[in-house]
Amino acid sequence: GQNIDQPTEMTATEGAIVQINCTYQTSGFNGLFWYQQHAGEAPTFLSYNVLDGLEEKGRFSSFLSRSKGYSYLLLKELQMKDSASYLCASFVYGNNRLAFGKGNQVVVIP
Amino acid sequence: DAGVIQSPRHEVTEMGQEVTLRCKPISGHNSLFWYRQTMMRGLELLIYFNNNVPIDDSGMPEDRFSAKMPNASFSTLKIQPSEPRDSAVYFCASSLEAYDLAKNIQYFGAGTRLSVL
């Protein structure tokens, strides 16, 4: 299957670093996507990983370990606007679907 | 580009009524997706189209739900008859190409918040 598991909520201080984890169990797995969703808004694309390792995009980085079925999103220098839900989604060739986790709510406090 | 456009933004209806949600994908995108999001179940894929053809409708909950894509710039999701358990936010998304991971970055519309009383 494509069970996606994410912890549900975390609180962090402005300027801090937070790591959001995602584990998946899937056969035929081919990539892992991260989306950000502010309350009441649509999900917006952040990054994707296909190969093992770290992909850096400004304050956000995403890591993938295919052998461990594990990914994380790293948010650095947290800002208040980073308060949102962060969803990971696996992509499997064949069914060509994105299977989303339920998301991890990050609350940034001053 | 204006992005993915959905209408209406909000819909309140009574149980048993027909509901039609509309979506205009990003011009040039070949793949279109309909999702439903609830607190309990998260974001679920209902159906997706590639080049206007339905490819996978395994997420459509039951026969009350139907979706069409008559042309490359328009799609509808219809619920008939609607039930209170259909209350959710329905998102439409589009991507360049569903079959290629690198081209399957999905861009979401603002969603339709449906309340069935």
Side-chain angles (χ1 to χ4, degrees), chain A residues 15-36:
Chain A
I17 299 173
V18 69
Q19 178 173 313
I20 303 163
N21 299 319
C22 173
T23 58
Y24 57 89
Q25 296 177 345
T26 180
S27 59
F29 168 83
N30 252 284
L32 198 291
F33 286 70
W34 284 97
Y35 278 77
Q36 179 191 59

Side-chain angles (χ1 to χ4, degrees), chain A:
Chain A
Q2 295 179 274
N3 296 324
I4 308 292
D5 188 32
Q6 291 187 260
T8 53
E9 184 170 320
M10 58 176 62
T11 301
T13 307
E14 203 171 8
I17 299 173
V18 69
Q19 178 173 313
I20 303 163
N21 299 319
C22 173
T23 58
Y24 57 89
Q25 296 177 345
T26 180
S27 59
F29 168 83
N30 252 284
L32 198 291
F33 286 70
W34 284 97
Y35 278 77
Q36 179 191 59
Q37 186 176 23
H38 287 103
E41 298 183 10
T44 55
F45 170 76
L46 288 177
S47 67
Y48 74 84
N49 295 66
V50 177
L51 303 176
D52 285 358
L54 191 68
E55 294 276 346
E56 299 194 64
K57 292 176 74 173
R59 294 189 299 113
F60 292 1
S61 304
S62 56
F63 172 84
L64 179 68
S65 169
R66 295 174 69 105
S67 61
K68 296 181 179 178
Y70 167 70
S71 174
Y72 68 72
L73 181 69
L74 200 65
L75 283 60
K76 293 175 274 190
E77 300 169 21
L78 275 177
Q79 301 176 9
M80 298 299 290
K81 66 178 181 178
D82 298 331
S83 292
S85 181
Y86 292 85
L87 303 103
C88 66
S90 66
F91 179 85
V92 174
Y93 276 124
N95 64 31
N96 302 311
R97 303 159 61 110
L98 282 183
F100 282 87
K102 290 187 177 178
N104 185 313
Q105 185 70 37
V106 172
V107 178
V108 182
I109 57 175

Side-chain angles (χ1 to χ4, degrees), chain A residues 30-33 35 37 40-45 48-50 87 91 93-102, chain B residues 9 33 35 37 39-43 45 48 56 58-59 91 98-102 104-106 108-110 113:
Chain A
N30 252 284
L32 198 291
F33 286 70
Y35 278 77
Q37 186 176 23
E41 298 183 10
T44 55
F45 170 76
Y48 74 84
N49 295 66
V50 177
L87 303 103
F91 179 85
Y93 276 124
N95 64 31
N96 302 311
R97 303 159 61 110
L98 282 183
F100 282 87
K102 290 187 177 178
Chain B
R9 288 295 310 275
F33 308 82
Y35 290 90
Q37 188 173 39
M39 289 292 291
M40 287 293 293
R41 300 173 68 93
L43 194 61
L45 178 68
Y48 83 88
D56 184 352
S58 59
F91 287 105
Y99 298 123
D100 184 333
L101 184 150
N104 199 24
I105 295 172
Q106 296 181 19
F108 284 74
R113 184 172 295 275

Side-chain angles (χ1 to χ4, degrees), chain B residues 27-28 44-45 49-50 55 72 100-101:
Chain B
S27 177
E44 304 173 279
L45 178 68
F49 296 82
N50 203 59
I55 302 300
D100 184 333
L101 184 150

